[in-house]
Structure formats: structure tokens, C-alpha cells
Amino acid sequence: MTETSIQLEGITLHFPKQRNIFAIVADFFKKKERKFTALSGIDLEIKQGEVVGIIGRNGSGKSTLLRVISGIYPADEGEVHAAGDISLLAGLGTGFSAHQTGRENALLYGSILGHGEEEMLTKLDEIIDFSELGTFIDEPLRTYSAGMKARLGLAVASAIRPNILLIDEVLGVGDPNFKEKSKKKILSMVKGASTVVIVSHSFGLMTDICDRVILLHHGEVMHDGPPQESIKKYYEIAGE
Amino acid sequence: MMQENEGASLVLRQIGVKSNSLLAPFHTLTEIRKNRFLVRNLVRREVRARYRNAALGYAWTVLEPALLASVYWFLFIMLSGNPDKMYAVWVLIGVIVWGCFSKSLNAATNSLTGNVRTMHLVYFPRSIFPVSGVGSNMVVTMMSCLVIIPIIYIYDLPITFHLLLVPLGVFMAGFMALGFGMMMAPLNCIQRDVQHLIRFITRAGFFVSPVMWTAEMAMERGAWGEAALWNPMVLPITMVRHGLEGKFVELPPAVILSSIISALVIYLVGTIVFSKYERGAVKYL
């Protein structure tokens, strides 16, 4: 299986730096732009079936890169191509409403993640089962503990079977028992998806599951190779 | 590695391609239709949050205008002795319909800035944010409109198909707020002054629009009064009032036509501006 799944060609992304409207207008007339370059000239090809890890120090552009792939930020230069549906797993439980029941929140979160009504209704039992919430599922979310919310979020998010799965630091929620279960679930999602890009700081996991790890530094690809090699490079730059 | 959809070969497609902004008025509609389950859930979330932990819950949507009506009745009819028995009702309707417009406009303007977290974590068409903000206010206003049932009973008003003008007027107020708000939302991402300005405009607009006055009162005032009728909000408010009275909108045809045209133009410009600048504006958040 050597078909391309994700292809980035010369991706450059700037963030505007000047937030004051007068300054923006002034800069517009002076024909200069103040900006911060988050990603510069990223070329990357990920084949179908690959599990790719992304590491780098804080602010190196890891999350931004995932957001560009999923379409949240449009690239200023370059093109992103992808094959199949993409799902970004980040910040479990986005948009949860404290005043609605767990069941309603499952439907709400599912629809935010892009699922249709029928799909969600057929998966609802499985989701409730996995969340281990029992009778709490019909209680308002404000009565939940942080761990319970995370469980519900993971249960909904893991009900998806996308072609491309992007994971941004969502491992390790809940009590040890559930942590183990959630890790297993995510690993099974990784196996189920044809292509996976994962951002994480748990290098142990990365070495276990990734075919290849990319090291980002100041928005550029610094190293692209086997996990051990990239992690070694990471420690070299982290110690500088 | 095992793959479930082996037969269907996946084709590479470009991510984050910008569709033609000029088609945005149509695209917005198809996006709403495609994401109707999401819109419905977001609207429900807003409405639920508003009436949380209240014993009377949704009853407040009707109770609030009903209590307001009795205050107006006491103020205008009993204290100032206004000869028009219906005046308190007209003011109440003005407040309800104008409230729908101003709350929807504020919601749409703040729809991008208020959903930063969601926007950073998932991608779906961004027009869903202003649409669901306006939608939730329309739903609440429609529920408030149930207050006309006791009013019809008390004032012994005719029950005719003209009552359909009531939801239509509310819809038009929300529709105009959507277009205007979509124009403002990307700008608000860059500078929050926009939301303060819009809040001021909705407060000032309260007096310029026929909330405390009616189109009939304006028409008796000569040139200045007639000029006031060109405000696009005159039509939706008057529509609801006249519908309740059991008659079709009695405004000069030119005024009706210009209001409808301005509502459409506001929507066209709003959706085009939104689709053109939303992508860049999100980077400011």
C-alpha cells in the first residue's frame, strides 16, 4: 500500500502580529506586514497505512500543522492534499454544555465532530456503554467529575472510523483503570484508521506505535526518520 | 495493514480550498441544510443554557413579555391615559420583534469570537456559528410570541390567516440580523470595538425603529415621519402588529418593497463578506 494519504507541499503559515486596527491600516498603506511565521515551507508526504508521530518543543508548530491538515487554518502558501475523510481528535468534549444531560451532550459533541443524526443514534448505545457512566448518562453534565466528562468525550470521539486520524495530546485521561482502557481504545482506533498522525509528548508510546517520527523546530521539519533517531535529535535541540 | 474500504480507492483532494465568495449566499444555505443536525443541537444548547436552573424554565419566554405587557398597560393606558387601547400591545410587540433583531445581531457579531475553542479543535463551515446564534434567538422569540394568545382573547381580536404574518415578521427581523451580523463577525475578530459599536447601534436603533411608536403615528407626522418609514425594521414590526389585527401590512408599497430588497441585499453582502474574510480573521483569535 503505497498510495499517498496526506501530501503537504511548501506549506507556509503566518499569524498576524499587529492586533490594533490603526496599526493594521497604517501598515496597509506602508505596504508592510507584521507577522509571525508558524510554519515555513513544510514538505511532507504520508502514505496510506503509515502511523506518523510529530514531536517538537512547545510552540514549534505541531498543533498548527494538524490544524492545517484538518482545514482549520488555510495555508498562506503551498497546498495540502488528503485522501478520504479526516478527523482531528483534540481537546475531548469540545462544546459540551453543562446544562444538558450526558446523552444530549453525546449527540451534541457527535454533531460537532461532523456526524449525522442517524449515525449518532445508532452509535449511542455503544457510546454510553463505553463511557461507563451508568445512570449518570441522564443527569446534567454539571454534576459530572472531570474524569467522567473526559470519558464521555472519548467515548463519542472514538466512535468514529475515519480514513485519516489526527491525534493531538488526548491520551491519559481519567482514573488509572480508565486510562488503560482509553489507551487501548486509541490504539485500536490507530489500527482501524488507515493513516494516523499523532502529536504527543509520550515518547515511549511514539516509539511503540509510530513508523516514523517528524521533529519540528521553529516551524520547519528538522528531522524525519525512525522514532529513535528523531527522539535523539529532539534531546539534542532541547538541551541547547 | 487491514483496510476496510479496500475497493474504494481514495482520491487526493485539496484541503482548505476557498470556494467562490460570490456564491456564498447559496453556499450558506446548502451548508445549513447539510449541517442541520449540528445547527439544531447548537440552538438547543443556547436555549437550554438561557433557561437553566429556572423552576419555570421555558415558561419565562412567555411570562416575561406578559408581565412587560401589564406594566405597559398600566403605564400608557392607566397613567398617561392614552386613548388607543391597543397601544400597550403595540409597544410590547415592538419590544419583542426589536429584541429578536438586536439579540440576534449581537449573537451573530460575537459568534466567531465566542467560539474560539471549538474553532481551534474542529472544522465545520464557520457560517454555522452566526446561523445557530441567530437561530436560537429566533426560537426564543417565536416562543415569546405565544403571548399573543391571551392578547387575542383579552382584546377579542379576530383569528385569521393573517396571523401567519407574526412568525414571518420575526423571521424577517432575524434574517436581517443574520446578514448584518455576518458582515461584522470577521471584523470583530480583529478588533473587539466592533461588538461595542454594535451594542450601541442596537440601543440607539430602538428609538429610530417603531418600537415605542407605530407606522400609523409616523405617517401622521408629515415628511419627517414618512422618512422614518424607510428604516428596514419598520416592515417586520408592522407586519406582526397588522397580522395580529387581522389585516395585511398597510404600508406604502414602495416602503414594503424597499425593506424586502434591503433585507436581501444585507444577506447577500453579509454572506459574501463573511466567506471572504472569515478565514483570515480566524488567525487573529
Side-chain angles (χ1 to χ4, degrees), chain B residues 221-246:
Chain B
R221 290 294 174 99
W224 281 110
E226 269 166 39
L229 292 183
W230 293 97
N231 174 351
M233 277 306 287
V234 171
L235 179 63
I237 296 174
T238 309
M239 198 188 273
V240 176
R241 284 172 179 163
H242 287 185
L244 188 55
E245 260 186 306

Short mmCIF file of all heavy atoms in Angstrom, two decimals, chain B residues 221-246:
data_model
loop_
_atom_site.label_atom_id
_atom_site.label_comp_id
_atom_site.label_asym_id
_atom_site.label_seq_id
_atom_site.Cartn_x
_atom_site.Cartn_y
_atom_site.Cartn_z
N ARG B 221 -47.24 62.36 10.92
CA ARG B 221 -46.31 63.43 11.25
C ARG B 221 -45.70 64.14 10.05
O ARG B 221 -44.72 64.84 10.19
CB ARG B 221 -45.17 62.87 12.12
CG ARG B 221 -45.60 62.50 13.50
CD ARG B 221 -46.02 63.74 14.28
NE ARG B 221 -46.58 63.38 15.55
CZ ARG B 221 -45.89 63.43 16.69
NH1 ARG B 221 -44.65 63.81 16.68
NH2 ARG B 221 -46.47 63.08 17.81
N GLY B 222 -46.20 63.88 8.88
CA GLY B 222 -45.67 64.57 7.70
C GLY B 222 -44.34 64.01 7.23
O GLY B 222 -44.04 62.85 7.43
N ALA B 223 -43.54 64.90 6.63
CA ALA B 223 -42.32 64.48 5.93
C ALA B 223 -41.36 63.70 6.82
O ALA B 223 -40.86 62.66 6.43
CB ALA B 223 -41.61 65.69 5.35
N TRP B 224 -41.11 64.20 8.06
CA TRP B 224 -40.14 63.52 8.93
C TRP B 224 -40.61 62.12 9.29
O TRP B 224 -39.85 61.17 9.30
CB TRP B 224 -39.88 64.32 10.20
CG TRP B 224 -38.95 65.45 9.96
CD1 TRP B 224 -39.25 66.78 9.95
CD2 TRP B 224 -37.55 65.35 9.64
NE1 TRP B 224 -38.14 67.51 9.66
CE2 TRP B 224 -37.08 66.68 9.46
CE3 TRP B 224 -36.67 64.30 9.49
CZ2 TRP B 224 -35.76 66.96 9.14
CZ3 TRP B 224 -35.35 64.58 9.17
CH2 TRP B 224 -34.91 65.90 9.00
N GLY B 225 -41.90 62.03 9.55
CA GLY B 225 -42.46 60.73 9.89
C GLY B 225 -42.34 59.76 8.73
O GLY B 225 -42.00 58.59 8.91
N GLU B 226 -42.61 60.27 7.53
CA GLU B 226 -42.53 59.40 6.36
C GLU B 226 -41.10 58.96 6.09
O GLU B 226 -40.85 57.84 5.66
CB GLU B 226 -43.13 60.08 5.13
CG GLU B 226 -44.61 59.76 5.00
CD GLU B 226 -45.33 60.67 4.02
OE1 GLU B 226 -44.73 60.98 2.98
OE2 GLU B 226 -46.47 61.06 4.33
N ALA B 227 -40.17 59.86 6.37
CA ALA B 227 -38.76 59.49 6.19
C ALA B 227 -38.40 58.33 7.11
O ALA B 227 -37.64 57.43 6.74
CB ALA B 227 -37.86 60.68 6.48
N ALA B 228 -38.99 58.35 8.32
CA ALA B 228 -38.67 57.30 9.29
C ALA B 228 -39.12 55.92 8.82
O ALA B 228 -38.62 54.90 9.27
CB ALA B 228 -39.31 57.61 10.64
N LEU B 229 -40.10 55.89 7.89
CA LEU B 229 -40.62 54.61 7.41
C LEU B 229 -39.62 53.85 6.55
O LEU B 229 -39.77 52.66 6.32
CB LEU B 229 -41.91 54.81 6.61
CG LEU B 229 -43.14 55.28 7.38
CD1 LEU B 229 -44.33 55.36 6.46
CD2 LEU B 229 -43.44 54.33 8.54
N TRP B 230 -38.60 54.57 6.05
CA TRP B 230 -37.65 53.89 5.17
C TRP B 230 -36.67 53.00 5.92
O TRP B 230 -35.88 52.29 5.33
CB TRP B 230 -36.89 54.91 4.31
CG TRP B 230 -37.83 55.55 3.36
CD1 TRP B 230 -38.47 56.74 3.50
CD2 TRP B 230 -38.31 55.01 2.12
NE1 TRP B 230 -39.31 56.98 2.45
CE2 TRP B 230 -39.22 55.94 1.58
CE3 TRP B 230 -38.06 53.82 1.41
CZ2 TRP B 230 -39.88 55.72 0.36
CZ3 TRP B 230 -38.71 53.61 0.21
CH2 TRP B 230 -39.61 54.54 -0.31
N ASN B 231 -36.73 53.06 7.25
CA ASN B 231 -35.95 52.14 8.07
C ASN B 231 -36.43 50.71 7.79
O ASN B 231 -37.61 50.41 7.91
CB ASN B 231 -36.20 52.52 9.54
CG ASN B 231 -35.57 51.58 10.53
OD1 ASN B 231 -35.07 50.52 10.17
ND2 ASN B 231 -35.62 51.98 11.78
N PRO B 232 -35.53 49.80 7.40
CA PRO B 232 -35.96 48.43 7.05
C PRO B 232 -36.64 47.68 8.18
O PRO B 232 -37.33 46.70 7.94
CB PRO B 232 -34.66 47.73 6.63
CG PRO B 232 -33.63 48.76 6.56
CD PRO B 232 -34.09 49.99 7.25
N MET B 233 -36.46 48.12 9.43
CA MET B 233 -37.09 47.41 10.54
C MET B 233 -38.57 47.75 10.70
O MET B 233 -39.27 47.12 11.48
CB MET B 233 -36.34 47.70 11.85
CG MET B 233 -35.12 46.84 12.07
SD MET B 233 -35.47 45.07 11.96
CE MET B 233 -36.35 44.79 13.48
N VAL B 234 -39.04 48.78 9.96
CA VAL B 234 -40.46 49.15 10.06
C VAL B 234 -41.33 48.00 9.57
O VAL B 234 -42.34 47.67 10.18
CB VAL B 234 -40.74 50.44 9.24
CG1 VAL B 234 -42.23 50.70 9.16
CG2 VAL B 234 -40.03 51.62 9.88
N LEU B 235 -40.90 47.36 8.48
CA LEU B 235 -41.72 46.30 7.91
C LEU B 235 -41.93 45.11 8.85
O LEU B 235 -43.07 44.74 9.12
CB LEU B 235 -41.16 45.85 6.55
CG LEU B 235 -41.95 44.73 5.87
CD1 LEU B 235 -43.37 45.17 5.54
CD2 LEU B 235 -41.25 44.26 4.60
N PRO B 236 -40.86 44.48 9.38
CA PRO B 236 -41.13 43.31 10.24
C PRO B 236 -41.99 43.62 11.45
O PRO B 236 -42.87 42.84 11.80
CB PRO B 236 -39.73 42.83 10.65
CG PRO B 236 -38.77 43.84 10.18
CD PRO B 236 -39.42 44.65 9.13
N ILE B 237 -41.74 44.79 12.09
CA ILE B 237 -42.51 45.11 13.29
C ILE B 237 -43.97 45.37 12.93
O ILE B 237 -44.89 44.85 13.56
CB ILE B 237 -41.88 46.31 14.03
CG1 ILE B 237 -40.48 45.94 14.53
CG2 ILE B 237 -42.76 46.74 15.20
CD1 ILE B 237 -39.72 47.10 15.16
N THR B 238 -44.19 46.17 11.86
CA THR B 238 -45.55 46.49 11.45
C THR B 238 -46.28 45.24 10.96
O THR B 238 -47.49 45.08 11.18
CB THR B 238 -45.51 47.55 10.33
OG1 THR B 238 -44.69 48.63 10.78
CG2 THR B 238 -46.90 48.07 10.03
N MET B 239 -45.52 44.35 10.33
CA MET B 239 -46.09 43.09 9.84
C MET B 239 -46.73 42.30 10.98
O MET B 239 -47.86 41.82 10.87
CB MET B 239 -44.96 42.28 9.21
CG MET B 239 -45.36 41.17 8.30
SD MET B 239 -43.90 40.22 7.88
CE MET B 239 -43.29 41.08 6.50
N VAL B 240 -46.00 42.21 12.09
CA VAL B 240 -46.52 41.45 13.24
C VAL B 240 -47.74 42.15 13.82
O VAL B 240 -48.75 41.53 14.13
CB VAL B 240 -45.41 41.27 14.30
CG1 VAL B 240 -45.97 40.57 15.53
CG2 VAL B 240 -44.25 40.48 13.73
N ARG B 241 -47.67 43.49 13.93
CA ARG B 241 -48.80 44.24 14.51
C ARG B 241 -50.05 44.10 13.66
O ARG B 241 -51.13 43.82 14.17
CB ARG B 241 -48.42 45.73 14.62
CG ARG B 241 -47.47 46.00 15.76
CD ARG B 241 -46.97 47.42 15.71
NE ARG B 241 -46.08 47.69 16.84
CZ ARG B 241 -45.24 48.72 16.88
NH1 ARG B 241 -45.17 49.57 15.87
NH2 ARG B 241 -44.48 48.90 17.94
N HIS B 242 -49.88 44.30 12.35
CA HIS B 242 -51.05 44.23 11.47
C HIS B 242 -51.59 42.81 11.36
O HIS B 242 -52.80 42.61 11.26
CB HIS B 242 -50.71 44.80 10.09
CG HIS B 242 -50.57 46.29 10.12
ND1 HIS B 242 -50.36 47.04 8.99
CD2 HIS B 242 -50.61 47.16 11.16
CE1 HIS B 242 -50.27 48.32 9.33
NE2 HIS B 242 -50.40 48.42 10.64
N GLY B 243 -50.68 41.85 11.37
CA GLY B 243 -51.12 40.45 11.33
C GLY B 243 -51.99 40.13 12.52
O GLY B 243 -53.01 39.44 12.41
N LEU B 244 -51.61 40.67 13.67
CA LEU B 244 -52.37 40.44 14.90
C LEU B 244 -53.74 41.11 14.81
O LEU B 244 -54.75 40.60 15.30
CB LEU B 244 -51.58 41.00 16.09
CG LEU B 244 -52.10 40.70 17.49
CD1 LEU B 244 -52.27 39.21 17.69
CD2 LEU B 244 -51.13 41.25 18.52
N GLU B 245 -53.77 42.26 14.12
CA GLU B 245 -55.03 42.97 13.96
C GLU B 245 -55.94 42.29 12.95
O GLU B 245 -57.09 42.67 12.77
CB GLU B 245 -54.76 44.40 13.48
CG GLU B 245 -54.82 45.42 14.59
CD GLU B 245 -54.68 46.82 14.05
OE1 GLU B 245 -53.70 47.09 13.34
OE2 GLU B 245 -55.56 47.64 14.31
N GLY B 246 -55.37 41.34 12.20
CA GLY B 246 -56.16 40.63 11.20
C GLY B 246 -56.22 41.33 9.87
O GLY B 246 -57.24 41.32 9.19
#
